[in-house]
Amino acid sequence: MLSSSAAASAASTHPYRSPSASPRAARPRPVLGMAASDDPRAAPAGSVAVVGAGVSGLAAAYRLRKRGLNVTVFEAADRAGGKIRTNSEAGFLWDEGANTMTESELEVSRLIDDLGLQDRQQYPNSQHKRYIVKDGEPALIPSDPIALIKSSVLSTKSKLALFLEPFLYKKTSTRNSGKVSDEHLTESVGSFFERHFGREVVDYLIDPFVAGTSGGDPESLSIRHAFPALWNLENKYGSVIVGAILSKLTAKSDPAKTGSTSSGKRRNRRASFSFHGGMQSLIDALHGEVGNGSVKLGTEVLSLACSFDGAPAYGGWSISFDSKDASSKELAKNQNFDAVIMTAPLSNVQRMKFTKGGAPFVLDFLPKVDYLPLSLMVTAFKKEDVKKPLEGFGVLIPYKEQQKHGLKTLGTLFSSMMFPDRAPNDQYLYTTFVGGSHNRDLAGAPTSVLKQLVTSDLKKLLGVEGQPTFVKHIYWRNAFPLYGREYNSVLEAIEKMQKELPGFFYAGNNKDGLAVGNVIASGSKAADLVISYLESRTKDGNSH
């Protein structure tokens, strides 16, 4: 549930910071700087700027540093981590953005190993016990075919549709003719799953899942962009179930895809986990490896100038910025860049000014990205005041159930059930999400209103009595980009920028997925592209 969150203004709490990531106490008057030199030939080879110190930017910077490149990371906020941050108070510890992640991407496993974080990984208790609300009550989501048959979550008709799907969608389907219609290119998540499994599966499994992981709803989301793996499976195999089984068997036979720990034990890439000390531990480790001196906090990029007028040249990028740290003026004296990795949200990129060869490079081709708002409410209750505590990961609330039973929240993580060390022994800690596509206005409601709504929902679902002993409210104005049915226009615009601006690469959740693992992989892959770009440029230079 809620695998990522958004970068926006938060409530009155301050994120937990390690000493290595702490901003300076004093805040000098902002100064303007220009990271460039008059003579591009003076730039050291292999100098890269990374815009944004979220997890994708830090992952990119870390990978570049490992290859011996000079890296400068620009971050407008006064802390690194973007969507990931952890806070603690009064014996409670909670995450204010992403709560867990998986090793579904190989780059994640590689990063954890390189950072030496294996011993700090923390796996939730009973993480396979996950619930949805059915008929106003939490119901355990079946985790295997036998449990599905016994479960009351789906009707007999829906269960039959699931088991018949491999026979109804065979490889000879017209979808496998090599031609994909415009209708299918823009198909919604709801339409896709309804075709394969029926409407009830959409309402009671898909709807709460997409709301919990992206804040979206099945009819607004694009199957091609929200679930590209499933979209590709249908195009290749016809049946989603057959495709998933065959893909899993193929992955098992490929050691490079399954991976293993340093002790040789095979990894469970689907298992959710956090870290001791919260998700901030990952950010602190990355920040520490990249280096405080290389991460310029409180430094907002205003414009980027590409001096390439044809073939790429050394040090062809310069960046102007507004910094709260007067020491950042030192950048103006001796640094420009051979390449840029942009990880800022496209809504921020649109406010930056670009030039190429001295002429304005206008970003009017960048479409507006729709972002979904979300509020996160952290509450605690005395254990004796929770009459129906549930062991497990959390509970999701389908929109149909919200309408039928007056529930207002998207779902709740059982934070201290998953990680008992995150609350005092006599209390339960919960993390509840409000807003998203169905309830945009509710996301921005005052803390007092949201506290009442959350308490009411938890009373209905878990039998809580009285008022919470602890409350924190975090509001994310732009929590998730909505991967809508026309989102391909966004990806085409990103591709256009990368094609027309030599040495410019984009990474982050506007491009490669919303989960923490997705954005880590996105940043790492962008770094690999930069390395290849610089190596090919060097070869071209040596050949002349």
Side-chain angles (χ1 to χ4, degrees):
M1 184 191 299
L2 276 288
S3 59
S4 60
S5 216
S9 58
S12 59
T13 57
H14 295 287
Y16 166 81
R17 302 183 182 97
S18 72
S20 66
S22 299
R24 292 171 175 80
R27 290 193 175 184
R29 179 184 175 189
V31 295
L32 290 177
M34 176 69 76
S37 69
D38 294 330
D39 182 5
R41 293 171 297 179
S47 180
V48 183
V50 177
V51 182
V55 69
S56 58
L58 290 176
Y62 173 73
R63 188 146 179 80
L64 293 169
R65 287 272 300 211
K66 277 192 69 181
R67 291 296 299 268
L69 299 175
N70 298 311
V71 182
T72 302
V73 183
F74 297 91
E75 171 55 54
D78 63 358
R79 57 173 294 278
K83 299 175 174 67
I84 297 177
R85 66 190 191 190
T86 305
N87 209 334
S88 60
E89 183 181 326
F92 297 100
L93 185 143
W94 66 95
D95 280 297
E96 300 190 339
N99 279 259
T100 59
M101 58 186 290
T102 69
E103 292 187 50
S104 58
E105 304 289 339
L106 291 173
E107 290 83 1
V108 175
S109 300
R110 180 176 62 191
L111 182 65
I112 288 172
D113 289 348
D114 288 349
L115 293 172
L117 289 175
Q118 304 97 320
D119 292 340
R120 298 203 64 185
Q121 286 178 282
Q122 187 177 23
Y123 290 86
N125 293 337
S126 305
Q127 70 166 289
H128 297 300
K129 287 187 176 181
R130 305 182 187 218
Y131 303 82
I132 61 164
V133 174
K134 182 72 183 288
D135 298 327
E137 297 288 337
L140 193 63
I141 299 174
S143 57
D144 57 65
I146 301 300
L148 175 62
I149 292 172
K150 297 179 179 179
S151 171
S152 61
V153 169
L154 296 176
S155 66
T156 302
K157 179 181 178 181
S158 294
K159 293 174 186 176
L160 187 61
L162 283 166
F163 286 111
L164 290 177
E165 193 268 354
F167 305 100
L168 297 177
Y169 283 84
K170 296 183 179 180
K171 193 172 182 179
T172 54
S173 166
T174 54
R175 292 292 307 276
N176 295 277
S177 62
K179 296 180 180 179
V180 182
S181 69
D182 290 341
E183 178 184 354
H184 285 122
L185 284 173
T186 60
E187 185 174 21
S188 72
V189 167
S191 171
F192 178 90
F193 281 100
E194 186 171 2
R195 281 195 297 106
H196 281 269
F197 306 112
R199 189 66 211 177
E200 188 180 34
V201 169
V202 175
D203 290 340
Y204 280 92
L205 294 181
I206 306 307
D207 172 86
F209 176 77
V210 298
T213 55
S214 71
D217 68 272
E219 306 315 318
S220 299
L221 288 168
S222 158
I223 185 66
R224 182 184 175 194
H225 300 299
F227 296 96
L230 294 180
W231 192 79
N232 289 329
L233 285 180
E234 188 196 39
N235 286 323
K236 186 175 181 180
Y237 299 103
S239 164
V240 172
I241 291 177
V242 169
I245 292 172
L246 292 176
S247 296
K248 188 173 182 179
L249 291 173
T250 302
K252 280 186 176 181
S253 65
D254 185 351
K257 291 184 178 181
T258 55
S260 61
T261 63
S262 56
S263 62
K265 184 179 178 181
R266 179 171 288 182
R267 297 178 119 109
N268 182 353
R269 297 198 175 279
R270 297 178 63 188
S272 298
F273 65 91
S274 180
F275 298 91
H276 292 285
M279 294 290 287
Q280 183 77 35
S281 296
L282 173 63
I283 298 302
D284 291 345
L286 278 169
H287 191 172
E289 288 294 324
V290 174
N292 280 342
S294 297
V295 181
K296 308 299 179 183
L297 300 177
T299 303
E300 180 182 4
V301 170
L302 303 177
S303 64
L304 300 94
C306 173
S307 64
F308 303 140
D309 192 11
Y314 285 100
W317 280 94
S318 59
I319 294 178
S320 67
F321 55 87
D322 187 2
S323 179
K324 297 174 183 177
D325 182 4
S327 67
S328 290
K329 288 189 294 183
E330 293 299 315
L331 280 172
K333 296 181 180 179
N334 57 13
Q335 192 169 9
N336 55 355
F337 305 97
D338 303 313
V340 172
I341 294 179
M342 176 65 69
T343 69
L346 287 178
S347 56
N348 293 1
V349 175
Q350 288 172 317
R351 296 196 294 269
M352 300 175 189
K353 294 182 179 180
F354 283 74
T355 59
K356 179 184 177 183
F361 184 82
V362 183
L363 301 180
D364 55 0
F365 58 87
L366 273 180
K368 182 180 179 181
V369 178
D370 187 12
Y371 291 88
L372 299 173
L374 194 75
S375 265
L376 182 151
M377 291 291 291
V378 179
T379 57
F381 295 85
K382 290 284 188 181
K383 287 186 175 180
E384 61 263 28
D385 292 335
V386 182
K387 303 306 178 183
K388 297 185 293 183
L390 291 175
E391 182 184 68
F393 196 89
V395 59
L396 292 167
I397 306 176
Y399 187 56
K400 262 188 174 300
E401 292 290 317
Q402 295 176 37
Q403 294 175 307
K404 283 182 183 179
H405 300 284
L407 298 164
K408 299 296 184 181
T409 60
L410 296 176
T412 295
L413 294 174
F414 306 154
S415 302
S416 60
M417 285 290 193
M418 290 194 290
F419 308 115
D421 59 347
R422 299 193 180 185
N425 291 332
D426 63 338
Q427 302 200 51
Y428 288 126
L429 184 68
Y430 298 106
T431 303
T432 303
F433 303 89
V434 184
S437 180
H438 285 308
N439 295 300
R440 289 176 185 252
D441 292 340
L442 204 54
T447 301
S448 58
V449 172
L450 293 178
K451 174 186 171 183
Q452 183 179 0
L453 294 177
V454 168
T455 302
S456 173
D457 278 14
L458 292 180
K459 180 178 182 179
K460 293 174 183 176
L461 301 178
L462 303 178
V464 303
E465 295 181 349
Q467 293 299 308
T469 62
F470 181 83
V471 177
K472 291 294 177 184
H473 174 204
I474 301 91
Y475 174 54
W476 303 106
R477 187 183 306 277
N478 296 321
F480 303 99
L482 177 67
Y483 284 9
R485 297 171 66 179
E486 303 298 330
Y487 202 75
N488 200 56
S489 63
V490 175
L491 300 181
E492 288 174 349
I494 291 173
E495 184 63 30
K496 179 181 173 70
M497 288 188 75
Q498 294 183 138
K499 183 178 180 181
E500 296 191 10
L501 294 172
F504 180 89
F505 302 87
Y506 190 88
N509 70 4
N510 277 202
K511 179 175 179 280
D512 294 313
L514 303 178
V516 176
N518 293 145
V519 294
I520 287 174
S522 181
S524 299
K525 289 173 181 176
D528 289 339
L529 289 173
V530 167
I531 292 166
S532 297
Y533 166 77
L534 295 177
E535 288 176 346
S536 65
R537 189 196 60 181
T538 301
K539 290 176 182 177
D540 291 342
N542 292 338
S543 65
H544 294 291

